Amino acid sequence: MTTKAAKGAVNLTDLADRYGSDKGSTKHRYTELYHMLFTPYRNRAIAFLEMGLQIGGPEHGASADRRTTDLPSVRMWLEFFPKARIHGLDVSDFSWFAADRFTFHRCDMDARSNIARVAVDMPDFDIILDDASHASHHQQNAFLELFPKLKSSGIYIIEDLRWQPEAYERPGITKTAELFRGFSQARAFRHVDPAVEAEFAALAPDISGCFLFQVRYDRTRRDQVAVIHKR
C-alpha cells in the first residue's frame, strides 16, 4: 500500500530538481538526507549559511571574477525555509541577486583571515553548509572560524569530501574526510599540522555527534558528506 504526502508538503529533492541544483536526484542526492535533517527547522526563523553558490568557480579553472548567472540552491533554501534568513558566501560576485531574506558575503577562502573578517558581520547560525571550493584547507579553516558561530544544537555540513581541486589543494595536508572520519571513530582529531590539530581538539567538546555518508549512500564508496552536530 502506498501513502501520499500530506497536501501542501514540500519535498526538498523536488525543489532541488526544479531549480537545477546538483544536490537533488540528478547527481548527488544530498537532499534526501537534508530533507530529514532540516524539516524540523522548516517553519522556524532560522539563520542559514551556504558557502559556494554556483558550480564552475576558480576550483574548476575559472576566474573569481567570472560572470555568475544563478544561485540554484539559494532559491531552493528560500522556498524550503519560508521564515529563514539565508546567507551566501562565495569568492565570485553574487551581489546582483536580490531577495528580502538573502544576504551575500564575498570572500576568498584561500586565506583564513578573510573568513575571519567576513564572520564578524555574520549572525550566529542554526545551519552551516560548506559547498565551496572543496579544498581541504578551505574546509578546515572555515570550520575553525565558523563552527564557533553555530548555535547550540546546530548542524554543520561539509559536502564533496572525496574531491579536492588541484588548483588549491596543498600537498600533504590531512584530508577533511580523514580528519572527521577519525573523529567519528575515536572522538579525537589527528592532523599533520600540530597547531591545526590543537585547534580542532579545542572544539571537540562542543561536538555531540559526527556522521559521514558515502557517495550516493553506498557504503562501498568513499566518504562524501560530513554532518557535525553541536552540543
Side-chain angles (χ1 to χ4, degrees):
M1 186 177 88
T2 59
T3 58
K4 294 183 178 180
K7 186 176 180 181
V10 174
N11 182 278
L12 191 54
T13 297
D14 292 344
L15 291 180
D17 293 348
R18 185 200 311 165
Y19 287 116
S21 169
D22 65 3
K23 300 183 194 301
S25 67
T26 59
K27 190 173 183 181
H28 293 305
R29 294 174 49 197
Y30 296 150
T31 48
E32 296 173 27
L33 173 64
Y34 297 166
H35 188 88
M36 176 178 65
L37 294 175
F38 296 165
T39 293
Y41 294 87
R42 184 165 181 258
N43 290 302
R44 292 169 48 189
I46 66 167
F48 183 111
L49 170 66
E50 179 169 28
M51 294 172 273
L53 304 181
Q54 186 178 28
I55 195 170
E59 70 274 16
H60 294 286
S63 168
D65 294 318
R66 64 184 169 136
R67 178 174 175 265
T68 57
T69 58
D70 198 10
L71 303 83
S73 57
V74 167
R75 296 182 190 276
M76 174 180 72
W77 303 131
L78 285 168
E79 181 165 345
F80 186 76
F81 297 111
K83 299 178 182 179
R85 294 290 312 183
I86 308 298
H87 291 249
L89 181 151
D90 202 283
V91 67
S92 299
D93 186 15
F94 290 86
S95 60
W96 52 266
F97 182 77
D100 289 341
R101 295 182 289 109
F102 176 73
T103 302
F104 174 65
H105 309 268
R106 191 169 187 181
C107 177
D108 181 351
M109 297 173 69
D110 206 42
R112 181 173 170 179
S113 59
N114 292 339
I115 305 171
R117 175 179 50 79
V118 297
V120 170
D121 296 324
M122 291 177 171
D124 289 345
F125 292 104
D126 298 273
I127 300 170
I128 297 175
L129 194 157
D130 185 347
D131 185 23
S133 75
H134 315 307
S136 298
H137 68 289
H138 290 194
Q139 294 168 332
Q140 294 164 28
N141 286 339
F143 187 86
L144 292 172
E145 292 295 335
L146 296 173
F147 187 74
K149 295 190 73 70
L150 189 67
K151 296 177 185 178
S152 177
S153 296
I155 298 172
Y156 196 110
I157 295 173
I158 307 173
E159 291 184 351
D160 296 351
L161 296 172
R162 70 185 178 94
W163 179 80
Q164 289 76 47
E166 292 184 7
Y168 283 123
E169 191 67 2
R170 293 178 176 174
I173 189 171
T174 300
K175 304 299 184 186
T176 305
E178 179 185 350
L179 184 68
F180 283 99
R181 169 59 63 187
F183 182 81
S184 72
Q185 293 172 338
R187 293 291 303 182
F189 286 110
R190 296 289 180 262
H191 199 284
V192 295
D193 185 330
V196 173
E197 181 177 304
E199 287 194 77
F200 272 93
L203 295 178
D206 291 331
I207 299 174
S208 67
C210 176
F211 309 91
L212 284 88
F213 298 87
Q214 294 72 44
V215 176
R216 299 179 72 86
Y217 311 109
D218 180 347
R219 291 188 178 184
T220 66
R221 302 183 70 179
R222 295 169 63 189
D223 291 332
Q224 178 79 329
V225 182
V227 177
I228 302 100
H229 187 260
K230 192 170 186 179
R231 289 186 186 275

